[in-house]
Amino acid sequence: MPIDPRSAGPRPPFSHQQPLTPPGHTGDMDPRPDHGETSYQGSGQLQGRKALITGGDSGIGRAVALAFAREGADVLISYLEEESRDAQETMDLVKAEGRKAIGVPGDIREEHHCETLVERAVQELGGIDILVNNAAYQMSHASLEEISGEEFDRTFRTNVYATFFLSKAAARQMPPGGSIINTVSINADKPNQTLVAYAATKGALQNLTGGMAQLLADKGIRVNCVAPGPIWTPLIPSTLDIDSARSFGKQVPLKRPGQPCEVAPAFVLLASDRGSYISGATVAVTGGVPLI
């Protein structure tokens, strides 16, 4: 029987969820996000591929790492030092599938670190076929006055500059058939007034994706983005006020947030040969909110 999308994941209110200190940890979430641990079944679509995933410690990044591993890929994940606990859990999941898992902590706002990540992937995985630019920084504010220049800069350097740095470094190493996938957001098309800086970066990323898809086509490298709607990850209770976090997802037609495992298949498609004619595209995973 088909799965009813209205009840495929928990529905708010999430009254037991407590506020988390950024960046938040998966184990402190209630309900706990579903990354596909018991549900995702691979079919060899990425057999022998090597993937670098930023923000691979939790949320969408963890679900993508697990799905890629079950499809046959080895994985390097990048993360911040304070996310080490979640990162280790992700690496354990990948290793349990018999695939290589490399974890590299550090700050992707720095170009040198981004270049190091690609070098590590080449050295320790034997190459790089897939780059997933997933790591993101966001903070919620009710007033423009609350957003400092320092925070605005951090948001752009984490979300946009790092994507540019990593894509530039990875494209030098990728063979034809390589795939770059950027995590944008529903905010790229429908900016939330409390997420001004974050939403602006996602619009920039969507534009960057389109430009890079054209620039890299002659190398046989595809570039696409996935635009999730409200997805239940540690970012939510650690960056939104607690009332918003507890009611998160009720605003979309399906009346619930998506789970990370519900986003991962879009990344698998774009990374695999089944997506060989898809480049410069945005795949929306939004719980029924139209992005047209």
Side-chain angles (χ1 to χ4, degrees):
M1 291 289 292
I3 295 173
D4 186 338
R6 299 169 298 176
S7 57
R11 295 167 68 97
F14 303 138
S15 56
H16 297 294
Q17 180 63 61
Q18 298 301 311
L20 303 183
T21 301
H25 294 289
T26 303
D28 297 326
M29 295 186 69
D30 189 358
R32 187 180 174 94
D34 181 358
H35 307 95
E37 290 92 339
T38 62
S39 61
Y40 190 90
Q41 296 183 13
S43 56
Q45 294 185 64
L46 302 176
Q47 197 67 44
R49 308 284 176 91
K50 295 95 175 176
L52 191 167
I53 304 170
T54 68
D57 53 286
S58 64
I60 293 171
R62 177 181 292 188
V64 171
L66 175 59
F68 280 10
R70 289 185 177 170
E71 294 293 352
D74 294 324
V75 177
L76 182 149
I77 65 169
S78 82
Y79 56 93
L80 294 172
E81 287 280 2
E82 55 265 38
E83 298 166 335
S84 295
R85 187 175 75 187
D86 274 351
Q88 187 59 56
E89 291 179 4
T90 299
M91 288 187 286
D92 290 344
L93 287 169
V94 171
K95 290 175 181 177
E97 301 303 319
R99 309 309 309 179
K100 289 183 181 178
I102 307 297
V104 184
D107 191 343
I108 60 172
R109 289 179 291 174
E110 302 301 327
E111 184 170 12
H112 176 71
H113 181 64
C114 292
E115 293 172 342
T116 297
L117 287 171
V118 173
E119 290 169 4
R120 291 281 299 274
V122 171
Q123 292 168 2
E124 300 187 45
L125 299 181
I128 179 170
D129 304 292
I130 306 161
L131 169 64
V132 176
N133 290 302
N134 172 71
Y137 179 80
Q138 78 167 33
M139 294 301 292
S140 176
H141 296 288
S143 166
L144 200 62
E145 291 298 323
E146 296 176 6
I147 307 171
S148 68
E150 180 182 7
E151 181 184 311
F152 195 81
D153 182 67
R154 177 176 179 176
T155 308
F156 266 84
R157 290 195 69 86
T158 303
N159 301 0
V160 181
Y161 278 60
T163 294
F164 168 69
F165 295 151
L166 282 158
S167 298
K168 185 177 179 181
R172 298 188 193 110
Q173 303 290 343
M174 279 185 173
S179 175
I180 298 173
I181 310 169
N182 302 321
T183 304
V184 294
S185 169
I186 191 173
N187 281 279
D189 292 89
K190 299 181 181 295
N192 186 313
Q193 65 181 11
T194 67
L195 298 172
V196 169
Y198 173 83
T201 65
K202 295 304 183 174
L205 275 179
Q206 194 171 44
N207 194 287
L208 181 63
T209 298
M212 291 196 302
Q214 296 172 77
L215 277 177
L216 295 177
D218 64 350
K219 296 180 180 292
I221 297 171
R222 295 179 296 107
V223 189
N224 294 287
C225 53
V226 176
I231 305 298
W232 187 238
T233 74
L235 195 67
I236 304 312
S238 66
T239 62
L240 302 184
D241 67 82
I242 191 58
D243 289 337
S244 296
R246 288 173 175 171
S247 63
F248 188 67
K250 73 175 185 179
Q251 74 274 24
V252 303
L254 290 181
K255 306 298 183 185
R256 67 172 180 87
Q259 294 296 313
C261 66
E262 295 179 292
V263 188
F267 287 84
V268 173
L269 169 64
L270 295 175
S272 74
D273 291 337
R274 293 183 179 181
S276 59
Y277 201 60
I278 305 174
S279 194
T282 299
V283 178
V285 186
T286 62
V289 179
L291 297 186
I292 53 177

